[in-house]
Amino acid sequence: MLKEYHLSKPFITNQEKRAVTEVLNSGQLSLGSKYKKFEKMFSKKIGTKYACCVSSGTAGLHLAMIATGIKQGDEVITTPFSFIASANCILYVGAKPVFCDIDPLTYNIDPKEIEDKITKKTKAILVVHIFGQSSDMTPIMKLAKRYKLKVIEDACESIDATYKGKKVGTFGELGVFAFYPNKQMTTGEGGMIVTNNKKIYQLCCSLRNQGRAESMDWLDHKYLGYNYRIDEMSAAIGIAQLKKLNFLIKQRRTIANYYSHFLKKYSKDIQVPFIHKHNTHTWFVYVIKLLNTKINRDKLILQLKKQGIHTKAYLPSIHLFEFYQKKYNYKKGIFPISENTSRYSLALPFYIGLSKSDVKFIINKLIKAIKYA
Ligand SMILES: *Cc1c(COP(=O)(O)O)cnc(C)c1O
């Protein structure tokens, strides 16, 4: 039988199963002790004073926008090469995402592109640490300081990654993490906001819980809030996953090394992930870029799928989604590096459990398929 290699898979053990059962037996399925414990452990792990867990990374980004005061008429500078949520959250509060092209090696926002995009309306830079490694934070923080802009970090793909020894999520006003099942650690659905700013922390905690202030009764509301709470089962999974995060990342690193090892021979045709010297990489995905532009990437995906190997175009450029194009009149060609990366990049199967021989098998099939694509 054909062995299926999926794109991603969560790593779940008896520890997570036991943790969920314990919550279910307790009868306290929301607003219990687990989410608070999860927050405490998380802030300790990342090294911020506060952490506020929410129902998804997207919910976290939405609250991040509100908590930093971004509103109608403001502009926020960000990257088009990301998962769509990092730009959508800017639209949620009526502000405008202003895109910048990316670095061709790390695929993160190119700091050199930012300054030209700053206007009187610019309020913030929303950096996305893509695929598991940090954006180039020194020049970004310098620009933010000079122009009095807030920095918001979408760290959803890069938990525990460092830049010059400092963890992502700790550079800006706040950082947001996500725990969807394809991320390095999961809670099912879930997210986390981290910050050192007490006011922002308190506001986020209130907004996720219907705008209720800490001291208030169930039916008192101070702000227009949301229900962005995480439930106790998810929080319990999060605690179990966080305890083994170092292991999870180490395993991912090993598999990434297998891929890079077997791909070395093909460096003329395939660009492997590049790790900047300031960064440690925590491997959300393993994405290659096809350098031979005669290869039809989408045909390649279909061909590999027939052989049980699931790969994916990673990622589309956000400004070319139809509703963005319509809203802002974006045309093809305005962010050539992002668009080129979107066109030729390919995420390979990547999850704990892949052995060295699995990786070798996948690469052999990939190379064969490329020759015929
Ligand atoms: C996963 C992810 C998010 C948040 O995703 P959710 O599914 O809402 O948890 C946000 N930004 C980026 C870049 C992501 O990869």
Side-chain angles (χ1 to χ4, degrees):
M1 212 183 74
L2 192 65
K3 184 165 175 185
E4 294 274 327
Y5 291 102
H6 294 279
L7 199 59
S8 73
K9 211 189 271 183
F11 184 78
I12 299 295
T13 69
N14 282 330
Q15 286 158 346
E16 285 78 7
K17 292 174 196 169
R18 243 182 277 130
V20 171
T21 306
E22 191 195 308
V23 171
L24 290 172
N25 288 338
S26 79
Q28 180 92 43
L29 306 191
S30 187
L31 291 173
S33 62
K34 296 295 179 195
Y35 80 102
K36 286 198 173 138
K37 185 175 174 196
F38 185 32
E39 290 174 342
K40 273 227 168 69
M41 285 174 65
F42 200 86
S43 59
K44 197 165 166 219
K45 177 80 184 160
I46 302 301
T48 52
K49 277 197 192 135
Y50 310 103
C52 167
C53 60
V54 287
S55 53
S56 71
T58 307
L61 287 166
H62 185 190
L63 296 190
M65 289 293 115
I66 301 171
T68 46
I70 311 297
K71 50 188 189 313
Q72 185 95 39
D74 293 344
E75 292 179 359
V76 177
I77 293 175
T78 192
T79 169
F81 191 76
S82 173
F83 179 57
I84 195 166
S86 65
N88 281 353
C89 68
I90 300 168
L91 295 181
Y92 292 164
V93 294
K96 180 182 178 185
V98 174
F99 295 116
C100 273
D101 213 347
I102 57 168
D103 180 291
L105 292 176
T106 64
Y107 313 130
N108 279 314
I109 192 166
D110 184 344
K112 293 193 296 296
E113 298 285 319
I114 294 175
E115 194 162 10
D116 276 353
K117 303 280 163 116
I118 297 172
T119 71
K120 275 197 217 104
K121 292 179 180 170
T122 310
K123 290 287 152 54
I125 304 171
L126 193 159
V127 294
V128 181
H129 306 299
I130 209 77
F131 294 167
Q133 80 172 316
S134 178
S135 298
D136 191 4
M137 292 312 289
T138 301
I140 292 170
M141 296 311 289
K142 260 193 202 145
L143 277 173
K145 202 168 167 200
R146 186 171 337 134
Y147 291 95
K148 297 195 169 54
L149 305 176
K150 299 201 159 144
V151 172
I152 297 147
E153 295 178 74
D154 179 340
C156 292
E157 298 191 357
S158 298
I159 187 169
D160 221 35
T162 61
Y163 174 84
K164 297 184 178 172
K166 189 171 153 69
K167 284 192 190 176
V168 299
T170 66
F171 289 87
E173 292 273 315
L174 42 73
V176 179
F177 294 87
F179 310 122
Y180 186 74
N182 66 347
K183 309 282 175 179
Q184 290 93 328
M185 63 167 273
T186 188
T187 58
E189 297 282 1
M192 190 77 79
I193 302 164
V194 298
T195 182
N196 288 314
N197 182 322
K198 190 169 184 183
K199 281 216 173 97
I200 284 183
Y201 163 69
Q202 286 173 331
L203 184 54
C204 287
C205 289
S206 169
L207 291 172
R208 78 168 160 199
N209 193 20
Q210 308 286 11
R212 199 170 292 137
E214 183 91 44
S215 57
M216 282 181 172
D217 265 349
W218 187 242
L219 293 175
D220 261 344
H221 308 279
K222 194 171 175 188
Y223 311 100
L224 171 65
Y226 303 85
N227 177 0
Y228 283 168
R229 295 185 302 262
I230 195 168
D231 62 74
E232 287 286 283
M233 291 74 76
S234 302
I237 297 172
I239 292 167
Q241 291 263 296
L242 192 54
K243 282 182 183 162
K244 53 164 100 63
L245 183 63
N246 291 350
F247 166 82
L248 298 175
I249 291 171
K250 200 169 153 218
Q251 294 294 309
R252 298 179 89 84
R253 204 164 270 152
T254 302
I255 298 162
N257 286 338
Y258 294 153
Y259 270 117
S260 295
H261 170 75
F262 288 120
L263 283 168
K264 219 183 277 163
K265 280 197 283 198
Y266 307 102
S267 62
K268 254 194 5 217
D269 284 329
I270 294 170
Q271 177 176 309
V272 299
F274 167 84
I275 306 170
H276 194 279
K277 66 175 192 289
H278 296 321
N279 289 340
T280 57
H281 203 306
T282 59
W283 300 105
F284 165 53
V285 279
Y286 191 92
V287 175
I288 59 169
K289 191 162 152 187
L290 305 170
L291 297 173
N292 179 346
T293 53
K294 288 201 193 83
I295 300 168
N296 183 329
R297 193 262 326 260
D298 297 331
K299 245 164 119 183
L300 181 64
I301 291 172
L302 291 177
Q303 238 173 324
L304 287 167
K305 194 174 167 196
K306 273 190 223 147
Q307 302 174 70
I309 298 169
H310 299 262
T311 60
K312 202 175 178 74
Y314 238 81
L315 299 146
S317 291
I318 297 170
H319 66 285
L320 295 182
F321 282 120
E322 197 178 323
F323 72 99
Y324 274 87
Q325 276 203 38
K326 281 217 175 106
K327 194 170 165 76
Y328 296 112
N329 200 20
Y330 288 133
K331 298 265 181 324
K332 257 193 181 158
I334 50 176
F335 302 115
I337 302 172
S338 179
E339 291 170 31
N340 179 274
T341 308
S342 295
R343 184 159 170 200
Y344 293 107
S345 62
L346 186 70
L348 302 179
F350 193 70
Y351 49 87
I352 296 172
L354 281 178
S355 68
K356 193 170 182 175
S357 57
D358 289 328
V359 171
K360 190 173 178 185
F361 176 84
I362 292 165
I363 294 302
N364 282 339
K365 293 286 183 201
L366 170 76
I367 297 301
K368 266 202 194 112
I370 281 178
K371 286 198 179 135
Y372 298 106

